[in-house]
mmCIF file of all heavy atoms in Angstrom:
data_model
loop_
_atom_site.group_PDB
_atom_site.id
_atom_site.type_symbol
_atom_site.label_atom_id
_atom_site.label_comp_id
_atom_site.label_asym_id
_atom_site.label_seq_id
_atom_site.Cartn_x
_atom_site.Cartn_y
_atom_site.Cartn_z
ATOM 1 N N GLN Y 107 57.392 -24.127 -37.546
ATOM 2 C CA GLN Y 107 58.177 -25.198 -36.957
ATOM 3 C C GLN Y 107 59.643 -25.031 -37.232
ATOM 4 O O GLN Y 107 60.518 -25.461 -36.420
ATOM 5 C CB GLN Y 107 57.704 -26.572 -37.519
ATOM 6 C CG GLN Y 107 58.269 -27.749 -36.775
ATOM 7 C CD GLN Y 107 57.604 -29.029 -37.207
ATOM 8 O OE1 GLN Y 107 56.811 -29.081 -38.139
ATOM 9 N NE2 GLN Y 107 57.930 -30.134 -36.522
ATOM 10 N N GLU Y 108 59.965 -24.349 -38.338
ATOM 11 C CA GLU Y 108 61.392 -24.149 -38.703
ATOM 12 C C GLU Y 108 61.995 -22.972 -38.005
ATOM 13 O O GLU Y 108 63.188 -22.959 -37.707
ATOM 14 C CB GLU Y 108 61.516 -23.934 -40.231
ATOM 15 C CG GLU Y 108 61.173 -25.183 -41.112
ATOM 16 C CD GLU Y 108 59.757 -25.509 -41.161
ATOM 17 O OE1 GLU Y 108 58.882 -24.563 -41.003
ATOM 18 O OE2 GLU Y 108 59.357 -26.715 -41.280
ATOM 19 N N THR Y 109 61.179 -21.939 -37.665
ATOM 20 C CA THR Y 109 61.746 -20.707 -37.107
ATOM 21 C C THR Y 109 61.656 -20.623 -35.611
ATOM 22 O O THR Y 109 62.300 -19.745 -35.025
ATOM 23 C CB THR Y 109 61.047 -19.494 -37.733
ATOM 24 O OG1 THR Y 109 59.664 -19.482 -37.368
ATOM 25 C CG2 THR Y 109 61.224 -19.457 -39.244
ATOM 26 N N ILE Y 110 60.880 -21.453 -34.975
ATOM 27 C CA ILE Y 110 60.708 -21.383 -33.538
ATOM 28 C C ILE Y 110 62.047 -21.706 -32.847
ATOM 29 O O ILE Y 110 62.733 -22.631 -33.230
ATOM 30 C CB ILE Y 110 59.596 -22.309 -33.031
ATOM 31 C CG1 ILE Y 110 59.220 -22.011 -31.591
ATOM 32 C CG2 ILE Y 110 59.949 -23.783 -33.198
ATOM 33 C CD1 ILE Y 110 57.947 -22.655 -31.128
ATOM 34 N N PRO Y 111 62.405 -20.890 -31.842
ATOM 35 C CA PRO Y 111 63.728 -21.101 -31.137
ATOM 36 C C PRO Y 111 63.790 -22.521 -30.531
ATOM 37 O O PRO Y 111 62.759 -23.095 -30.142
ATOM 38 C CB PRO Y 111 63.752 -20.038 -30.075
ATOM 39 C CG PRO Y 111 62.812 -19.002 -30.605
ATOM 40 C CD PRO Y 111 61.785 -19.724 -31.323
ATOM 41 N N ASN Y 112 65.008 -23.030 -30.393
ATOM 42 C CA ASN Y 112 65.193 -24.394 -29.833
ATOM 43 C C ASN Y 112 64.595 -24.556 -28.509
ATOM 44 O O ASN Y 112 64.030 -25.640 -28.159
ATOM 45 C CB ASN Y 112 66.681 -24.751 -29.824
ATOM 46 C CG ASN Y 112 67.248 -24.962 -31.205
ATOM 47 O OD1 ASN Y 112 66.537 -25.351 -32.148
ATOM 48 N ND2 ASN Y 112 68.528 -24.667 -31.376
ATOM 49 N N GLU Y 113 64.699 -23.534 -27.656
ATOM 50 C CA GLU Y 113 64.180 -23.646 -26.276
ATOM 51 C C GLU Y 113 62.676 -23.695 -26.222
ATOM 52 O O GLU Y 113 62.087 -24.071 -25.203
ATOM 53 C CB GLU Y 113 64.697 -22.517 -25.423
ATOM 54 C CG GLU Y 113 64.237 -21.143 -25.793
ATOM 55 C CD GLU Y 113 65.116 -20.401 -26.806
ATOM 56 O OE1 GLU Y 113 65.891 -21.181 -27.482
ATOM 57 O OE2 GLU Y 113 65.041 -19.199 -26.925
ATOM 58 N N LEU Y 114 61.977 -23.384 -27.306
ATOM 59 C CA LEU Y 114 60.505 -23.424 -27.343
ATOM 60 C C LEU Y 114 59.968 -24.547 -28.195
ATOM 61 O O LEU Y 114 58.732 -24.724 -28.242
ATOM 62 C CB LEU Y 114 60.017 -22.100 -27.918
ATOM 63 C CG LEU Y 114 60.367 -20.836 -27.136
ATOM 64 C CD1 LEU Y 114 59.821 -19.577 -27.848
ATOM 65 C CD2 LEU Y 114 59.806 -20.857 -25.706
ATOM 66 N N LYS Y 115 60.837 -25.280 -28.812
ATOM 67 C CA LYS Y 115 60.363 -26.378 -29.737
ATOM 68 C C LYS Y 115 59.444 -27.388 -29.043
ATOM 69 O O LYS Y 115 58.564 -27.951 -29.651
ATOM 70 C CB LYS Y 115 61.545 -27.117 -30.374
ATOM 71 C CG LYS Y 115 62.241 -26.272 -31.460
ATOM 72 C CD LYS Y 115 63.240 -27.085 -32.230
ATOM 73 C CE LYS Y 115 63.966 -26.229 -33.270
ATOM 74 N NZ LYS Y 115 63.086 -25.757 -34.330
ATOM 75 N N LYS Y 116 59.705 -27.649 -27.776
ATOM 76 C CA LYS Y 116 58.868 -28.650 -27.036
ATOM 77 C C LYS Y 116 57.453 -28.161 -26.897
ATOM 78 O O LYS Y 116 56.573 -29.007 -26.643
ATOM 79 C CB LYS Y 116 59.472 -28.958 -25.682
ATOM 80 C CG LYS Y 116 59.492 -27.785 -24.705
ATOM 81 C CD LYS Y 116 60.138 -28.212 -23.411
ATOM 82 C CE LYS Y 116 60.194 -27.055 -22.399
ATOM 83 N NZ LYS Y 116 60.781 -27.515 -21.100
ATOM 84 N N TYR Y 117 57.188 -26.894 -27.060
ATOM 85 C CA TYR Y 117 55.812 -26.382 -26.949
ATOM 86 C C TYR Y 117 55.110 -26.390 -28.293
ATOM 87 O O TYR Y 117 53.901 -26.143 -28.338
ATOM 88 C CB TYR Y 117 55.859 -24.947 -26.395
ATOM 89 C CG TYR Y 117 56.472 -24.830 -25.045
ATOM 90 C CD1 TYR Y 117 57.742 -24.303 -24.922
ATOM 91 C CD2 TYR Y 117 55.845 -25.328 -23.905
ATOM 92 C CE1 TYR Y 117 58.327 -24.206 -23.635
ATOM 93 C CE2 TYR Y 117 56.398 -25.205 -22.648
ATOM 94 C CZ TYR Y 117 57.669 -24.657 -22.525
ATOM 95 O OH TYR Y 117 58.295 -24.510 -21.319
ATOM 96 N N TRP Y 118 55.855 -26.613 -29.365
ATOM 97 C CA TRP Y 118 55.233 -26.540 -30.715
ATOM 98 C C TRP Y 118 54.100 -27.511 -30.869
ATOM 99 O O TRP Y 118 53.051 -27.193 -31.459
ATOM 100 C CB TRP Y 118 56.319 -26.778 -31.784
ATOM 101 C CG TRP Y 118 55.756 -26.757 -33.153
ATOM 102 C CD1 TRP Y 118 55.546 -27.831 -33.982
ATOM 103 C CD2 TRP Y 118 55.347 -25.631 -33.937
ATOM 104 N NE1 TRP Y 118 55.023 -27.416 -35.168
ATOM 105 C CE2 TRP Y 118 54.899 -26.068 -35.173
ATOM 106 C CE3 TRP Y 118 55.349 -24.232 -33.672
ATOM 107 C CZ2 TRP Y 118 54.398 -25.213 -36.155
ATOM 108 C CZ3 TRP Y 118 54.869 -23.375 -34.610
ATOM 109 C CH2 TRP Y 118 54.442 -23.875 -35.861
ATOM 110 N N ASN Y 119 54.272 -28.730 -30.422
ATOM 111 C CA ASN Y 119 53.229 -29.757 -30.547
ATOM 112 C C ASN Y 119 52.028 -29.447 -29.706
ATOM 113 O O ASN Y 119 50.954 -30.107 -29.893
ATOM 114 C CB ASN Y 119 53.791 -31.171 -30.164
ATOM 115 C CG ASN Y 119 54.828 -31.680 -31.195
ATOM 116 O OD1 ASN Y 119 54.792 -31.237 -32.341
ATOM 117 N ND2 ASN Y 119 55.695 -32.498 -30.777
ATOM 118 N N GLN Y 120 52.130 -28.521 -28.799
ATOM 119 C CA GLN Y 120 50.969 -28.114 -27.973
ATOM 120 C C GLN Y 120 50.229 -26.918 -28.518
ATOM 121 O O GLN Y 120 49.310 -26.422 -27.892
ATOM 122 C CB GLN Y 120 51.467 -27.798 -26.547
ATOM 123 C CG GLN Y 120 52.268 -28.897 -25.849
ATOM 124 C CD GLN Y 120 52.854 -28.442 -24.548
ATOM 125 O OE1 GLN Y 120 52.331 -27.581 -23.889
ATOM 126 N NE2 GLN Y 120 53.974 -29.036 -24.183
ATOM 127 N N ARG Y 121 50.617 -26.429 -29.665
ATOM 128 C CA ARG Y 121 50.085 -25.171 -30.176
ATOM 129 C C ARG Y 121 48.588 -25.193 -30.322
ATOM 130 O O ARG Y 121 47.914 -24.160 -30.068
ATOM 131 C CB ARG Y 121 50.745 -24.826 -31.543
ATOM 132 C CG ARG Y 121 50.534 -25.827 -32.709
ATOM 133 C CD ARG Y 121 51.488 -25.535 -33.830
ATOM 134 N NE ARG Y 121 51.278 -26.387 -34.982
ATOM 135 C CZ ARG Y 121 51.713 -27.647 -35.059
ATOM 136 N NH1 ARG Y 121 52.358 -28.199 -34.024
ATOM 137 N NH2 ARG Y 121 51.468 -28.372 -36.169
ATOM 138 N N TYR Y 122 47.956 -26.332 -30.737
ATOM 139 C CA TYR Y 122 46.471 -26.351 -30.890
ATOM 140 C C TYR Y 122 45.781 -26.455 -29.549
ATOM 141 O O TYR Y 122 44.607 -26.132 -29.448
ATOM 142 C CB TYR Y 122 46.103 -27.458 -31.824
ATOM 143 C CG TYR Y 122 46.678 -27.327 -33.221
ATOM 144 C CD1 TYR Y 122 47.547 -28.306 -33.744
ATOM 145 C CD2 TYR Y 122 46.329 -26.206 -34.041
ATOM 146 C CE1 TYR Y 122 48.043 -28.148 -35.032
ATOM 147 C CE2 TYR Y 122 46.884 -26.107 -35.282
ATOM 148 C CZ TYR Y 122 47.734 -27.026 -35.798
ATOM 149 O OH TYR Y 122 48.271 -26.903 -37.026
ATOM 150 N N ALA Y 123 46.532 -26.949 -28.539
ATOM 151 C CA ALA Y 123 45.949 -26.993 -27.151
ATOM 152 C C ALA Y 123 45.987 -25.579 -26.610
ATOM 153 O O ALA Y 123 45.088 -25.233 -25.816
ATOM 154 C CB ALA Y 123 46.752 -27.931 -26.280
ATOM 155 N N LEU Y 124 46.943 -24.776 -26.998
ATOM 156 C CA LEU Y 124 46.992 -23.384 -26.538
ATOM 157 C C LEU Y 124 45.982 -22.501 -27.255
ATOM 158 O O LEU Y 124 45.219 -21.748 -26.573
ATOM 159 C CB LEU Y 124 48.408 -22.836 -26.765
ATOM 160 C CG LEU Y 124 49.593 -23.606 -26.119
ATOM 161 C CD1 LEU Y 124 50.913 -22.919 -26.457
ATOM 162 C CD2 LEU Y 124 49.386 -23.707 -24.614
ATOM 163 N N PHE Y 125 45.875 -22.611 -28.516
ATOM 164 C CA PHE Y 125 44.918 -21.925 -29.362
ATOM 165 C C PHE Y 125 44.411 -22.815 -30.462
ATOM 166 O O PHE Y 125 45.221 -23.202 -31.308
ATOM 167 C CB PHE Y 125 45.533 -20.657 -29.939
ATOM 168 C CG PHE Y 125 45.822 -19.543 -28.969
ATOM 169 C CD1 PHE Y 125 47.089 -19.376 -28.444
ATOM 170 C CD2 PHE Y 125 44.817 -18.684 -28.552
ATOM 171 C CE1 PHE Y 125 47.418 -18.367 -27.579
ATOM 172 C CE2 PHE Y 125 45.096 -17.634 -27.669
ATOM 173 C CZ PHE Y 125 46.391 -17.484 -27.178
ATOM 174 N N SER Y 126 43.142 -23.094 -30.485
ATOM 175 C CA SER Y 126 42.595 -23.956 -31.528
ATOM 176 C C SER Y 126 42.706 -23.290 -32.887
ATOM 177 O O SER Y 126 42.734 -23.944 -33.912
ATOM 178 C CB SER Y 126 41.150 -24.336 -31.229
ATOM 179 O OG SER Y 126 40.289 -23.151 -31.128
ATOM 180 N N LEU Y 127 42.767 -21.965 -32.929
ATOM 181 C CA LEU Y 127 42.823 -21.208 -34.167
ATOM 182 C C LEU Y 127 44.285 -20.808 -34.489
ATOM 183 O O LEU Y 127 44.525 -19.819 -35.136
ATOM 184 C CB LEU Y 127 41.942 -19.984 -34.120
ATOM 185 C CG LEU Y 127 40.451 -20.148 -33.940
ATOM 186 C CD1 LEU Y 127 39.739 -18.804 -34.005
ATOM 187 C CD2 LEU Y 127 39.902 -21.119 -35.041
ATOM 188 N N PHE Y 128 45.237 -21.621 -34.020
ATOM 189 C CA PHE Y 128 46.630 -21.242 -34.224
ATOM 190 C C PHE Y 128 47.002 -20.981 -35.640
ATOM 191 O O PHE Y 128 47.669 -19.999 -35.958
ATOM 192 C CB PHE Y 128 47.540 -22.395 -33.657
ATOM 193 C CG PHE Y 128 48.994 -22.036 -33.734
ATOM 194 C CD1 PHE Y 128 49.650 -21.345 -32.731
ATOM 195 C CD2 PHE Y 128 49.720 -22.443 -34.862
ATOM 196 C CE1 PHE Y 128 51.006 -21.015 -32.849
ATOM 197 C CE2 PHE Y 128 51.102 -22.090 -34.972
ATOM 198 C CZ PHE Y 128 51.681 -21.400 -33.962
ATOM 199 N N ASP Y 129 46.488 -21.795 -36.561
ATOM 200 C CA ASP Y 129 46.825 -21.644 -37.939
ATOM 201 C C ASP Y 129 46.194 -20.436 -38.627
ATOM 202 O O ASP Y 129 46.540 -20.057 -39.736
ATOM 203 C CB ASP Y 129 46.384 -22.903 -38.769
ATOM 204 C CG ASP Y 129 47.307 -24.118 -38.489
ATOM 205 O OD1 ASP Y 129 48.414 -23.857 -37.934
ATOM 206 O OD2 ASP Y 129 46.912 -25.205 -38.803
ATOM 207 N N SER Y 130 45.317 -19.737 -37.897
ATOM 208 C CA SER Y 130 44.713 -18.515 -38.420
ATOM 209 C C SER Y 130 45.621 -17.303 -38.282
ATOM 210 O O SER Y 130 45.394 -16.248 -38.815
ATOM 211 C CB SER Y 130 43.380 -18.230 -37.720
ATOM 212 O OG SER Y 130 42.442 -19.263 -37.982
ATOM 213 N N GLY Y 131 46.753 -17.515 -37.526
ATOM 214 C CA GLY Y 131 47.669 -16.412 -37.408
ATOM 215 C C GLY Y 131 47.889 -15.952 -36.006
ATOM 216 O O GLY Y 131 48.175 -14.745 -35.710
ATOM 217 N N ILE Y 132 47.796 -16.867 -34.990
ATOM 218 C CA ILE Y 132 48.014 -16.541 -33.594
ATOM 219 C C ILE Y 132 49.396 -15.976 -33.366
ATOM 220 O O ILE Y 132 50.362 -16.500 -33.946
ATOM 221 C CB ILE Y 132 47.784 -17.760 -32.710
ATOM 222 C CG1 ILE Y 132 46.303 -18.153 -32.682
ATOM 223 C CG2 ILE Y 132 48.289 -17.501 -31.280
ATOM 224 C CD1 ILE Y 132 45.379 -17.117 -31.997
ATOM 225 N N LEU Y 133 49.503 -14.956 -32.551
ATOM 226 C CA LEU Y 133 50.811 -14.308 -32.252
ATOM 227 C C LEU Y 133 51.146 -14.550 -30.752
ATOM 228 O O LEU Y 133 50.266 -14.389 -29.896
ATOM 229 C CB LEU Y 133 50.738 -12.814 -32.510
ATOM 230 C CG LEU Y 133 50.469 -12.374 -33.921
ATOM 231 C CD1 LEU Y 133 50.492 -10.855 -34.014
ATOM 232 C CD2 LEU Y 133 51.426 -12.980 -34.929
ATOM 233 N N MET Y 134 52.385 -14.913 -30.515
ATOM 234 C CA MET Y 134 52.887 -15.125 -29.109
ATOM 235 C C MET Y 134 54.317 -14.748 -29.077
ATOM 236 O O MET Y 134 55.116 -15.098 -29.931
ATOM 237 C CB MET Y 134 52.698 -16.574 -28.638
ATOM 238 C CG MET Y 134 51.251 -16.999 -28.378
ATOM 239 S SD MET Y 134 51.228 -18.661 -27.645
ATOM 240 C CE MET Y 134 51.468 -19.646 -29.120
ATOM 241 N N ASP Y 135 54.690 -14.044 -28.009
ATOM 242 C CA ASP Y 135 56.114 -13.826 -27.746
ATOM 243 C C ASP Y 135 56.666 -15.068 -27.102
ATOM 244 O O ASP Y 135 55.925 -16.040 -26.814
ATOM 245 C CB ASP Y 135 56.373 -12.570 -26.895
ATOM 246 C CG ASP Y 135 55.704 -12.690 -25.535
ATOM 247 O OD1 ASP Y 135 55.007 -13.633 -25.247
ATOM 248 O OD2 ASP Y 135 55.984 -11.779 -24.688
ATOM 249 N N ALA Y 136 57.948 -15.099 -26.788
ATOM 250 C CA ALA Y 136 58.541 -16.310 -26.280
ATOM 251 C C ALA Y 136 57.889 -16.740 -24.943
ATOM 252 O O ALA Y 136 57.594 -17.900 -24.738
ATOM 253 C CB ALA Y 136 60.052 -16.044 -26.051
ATOM 254 N N GLU Y 137 57.633 -15.763 -24.087
ATOM 255 C CA GLU Y 137 57.051 -16.090 -22.781
ATOM 256 C C GLU Y 137 55.660 -16.651 -22.907
ATOM 257 O O GLU Y 137 55.196 -17.477 -22.163
ATOM 258 C CB GLU Y 137 57.005 -14.845 -21.881
ATOM 259 C CG GLU Y 137 56.552 -15.131 -20.449
ATOM 260 C CD GLU Y 137 56.549 -13.851 -19.596
ATOM 261 O OE1 GLU Y 137 57.209 -12.862 -19.985
ATOM 262 O OE2 GLU Y 137 55.943 -13.936 -18.484
#
Side-chain angles (χ1 to χ4, degrees):
Q107 190 170 7
E108 291 73 29
T109 63
I110 192 168
N112 289 332
E113 65 271 19
L114 299 176
K115 285 188 183 296
K116 63 180 180 180
Y117 301 105
W118 177 257
N119 291 335
Q120 304 173 29
R121 61 194 184 280
Y122 299 118
L124 303 179
F125 289 99
S126 60
L127 297 184
F128 182 86
D129 287 344
S130 296
I132 290 293
L133 301 180
M134 287 188 281
D135 63 352
E137 187 179 345

